[in-house]
Amino acid sequence: MLNHELSKNNFFMKEACHLAETSIQLGGGPFGCIITDPSENIIGRGHNRVTIDNDPTLHAEMVAIKDACRQKNTFNLSGCTLYTSCEPCPMCLSAIYWARIGTVFYGNTRADASNIGFDDSFIYEEVSKPIEERSVVMKQVGYEDSNTNFEIWKTAFEIWKNYEKRIDY
């Protein structure tokens, strides 16, 4: 059984790495990712498209998650496994949690990525800081003044809370 697990994981990791190579050939970053369902079928594929499509959110994991969600017609990928050529960045890790993917296998570490120019350590540091200490200025607006037009966002939350057809995620 152990050999089957190792063989399966190596196969899926090689698929993710082939996507990373494809990304490089197309002008993207060296990252690839696949997602398998509980039956071990590949349901999502992605490679880095940041520079290809000029979109900083198109990391390999994000593309693969979007693909898997389209294939399965759901936002909930519980029971699925993600294989990626590199340890996920904070954005991708957040998406993995939101998609409820239970297991992630990765190749290179974030230190390896940093060594070739993909350093995301500042993001890890930033999210651990209190809001007022972050380098991106973040200010809450309209919360204390209930007479402003910003009351609408509070209303949207109230509508959602009482909405009978809502789909919780």
Side-chain angles (χ1 to χ4, degrees):
M1 187 71 170
L2 183 60
N3 285 337
H4 169 71
E5 283 294 311
L6 184 58
S7 175
K8 172 191 70 160
N9 290 339
N10 285 341
F11 172 79
F12 291 135
M13 187 58 73
K14 283 181 184 177
E15 290 293 309
C17 290
H18 286 308
L19 287 167
E21 292 170 9
T22 298
S23 182
I24 295 168
Q25 294 166 359
L26 295 172
F31 306 100
C33 179
I34 66 158
I35 298 173
T36 61
D37 67 14
S39 299
E40 299 179 353
N41 299 304
I42 296 175
I43 59 166
R45 296 176 189 273
H47 63 78
N48 184 281
R49 301 192 60 84
V50 171
T51 55
I52 296 168
D53 293 337
N54 294 316
D55 184 338
T57 67
L58 293 181
H59 291 196
E61 296 89 344
M62 302 295 280
V63 174
I65 289 169
K66 288 177 185 181
D67 187 35
C69 288
R70 277 190 217 106
Q71 296 296 327
K72 296 303 256 181
N73 195 31
T74 183
F75 57 84
N76 186 333
L77 299 176
S78 296
C80 293
T81 302
L82 186 142
Y83 295 83
T84 182
S85 60
C86 188
E87 181 181 355
C89 76
M91 174 182 66
C92 295
L93 185 59
S94 295
I96 288 164
Y97 277 102
W98 279 111
R100 296 182 178 54
I101 294 170
T103 305
V104 173
F105 290 98
Y106 64 92
N108 294 302
T109 66
R110 59 182 165 181
D112 296 327
S114 177
N115 289 335
I116 61 166
F118 295 92
D119 187 3
D120 55 11
S121 60
F122 72 97
I123 300 172
Y124 284 98
E125 293 166 8
E126 283 287 305
V127 283
S128 67
K129 293 178 181 178
I131 289 175
E132 60 276 358
E133 292 179 21
R134 294 181 184 164
S135 62
V136 172
V137 177
M138 298 179 69
K139 297 181 179 185
Q140 188 176 26
V141 177
Y143 189 77
E144 284 110 16
D145 183 3
S146 62
N147 295 322
T148 69
N149 289 333
F150 294 106
E151 190 68 24
I152 189 68
W153 61 262
K154 287 184 186 177
T155 304
F157 274 29
E158 285 301 313
I159 292 169
W160 175 256
K161 191 169 85 173
N162 299 313
Y163 185 56
E164 292 178 17
K165 295 181 182 179
R166 80 173 188 225
I167 299 172
D168 290 324
Y169 60 96

